[in-house]
Amino acid sequence: MTGGLEPTEETDGSVTVRLLDDGDETRTIRCNSYADAIEVVKDRQRSVTAAKILDRDENVVFTSAEMEIEVWETAWEDAKRELSVDVDESDCPYENGACFPGDRCVRCQLSDARGRE
């Protein structure tokens, strides 16, 4: 048994880091996850002109010429967290955004209790 949760975001080596240097050839490093790609960029971005992360469709999702990797990493983690939240949309008559079918707001609970009396 593992000591913690295993990562759920893994790829088949289709996330790519490209390291561009004015004097040298472009180096390409295949990574198994975005987290691995972020670490590669953090480790090597100071020694190259630009570092890029490409998704499996070869679209550039990060370039160090436009943004710091730490800023992009925070945005990526936030987007990943948003995608992992899977809840039913609330149909609260009081428009309470924190009211869900399994966890009703106080006003809905009171309305339900009044309806049962």
Side-chain angles (χ1 to χ4, degrees):
M1 186 168 190
T2 62
L5 296 176
E6 294 298 320
T8 58
E9 190 273 328
E10 293 277 328
T11 66
D12 56 359
S14 57
V15 176
T16 307
V17 174
R18 287 216 179 114
L19 303 170
L20 310 155
D21 201 350
D22 289 337
D24 296 331
E25 289 184 25
T26 300
R27 288 178 284 165
T28 301
I29 300 170
R30 294 229 173 256
C31 299
N32 290 325
S33 69
Y34 280 97
D36 290 346
I38 290 167
E39 288 306 313
V40 168
V41 170
K42 283 181 178 179
D43 289 342
R44 301 186 184 188
Q45 71 179 347
R46 306 261 187 278
S47 64
V48 295
T49 305
K52 296 182 178 188
I53 298 176
L54 290 81
D55 66 10
R56 68 174 12 151
D57 296 324
E58 295 292 312
N59 296 316
V60 176
V61 295
F62 166 79
T63 180
S64 63
E66 296 175 1
M67 160 183 305
E68 293 293 320
I69 188 65
E70 292 81 9
V71 173
W72 187 83
E73 179 182 23
T74 301
W76 171 72
E77 287 172 347
D78 290 345
K80 188 171 74 165
R81 192 174 307 112
E82 273 184 35
L83 289 173
S84 70
V85 176
D86 185 21
V87 294
D88 295 332
E89 197 170 314
S90 174
D91 60 349
C92 178
Y94 307 106
E95 297 182 15
N96 184 336
C99 181
F100 299 100
D103 187 16
R104 306 288 284 174
C105 69
V106 173
R107 291 177 76 184
C108 283
Q109 290 176 26
L110 289 171
S111 293
D112 291 346
R114 285 188 195 120
R116 287 185 287 221
E117 292 177 354

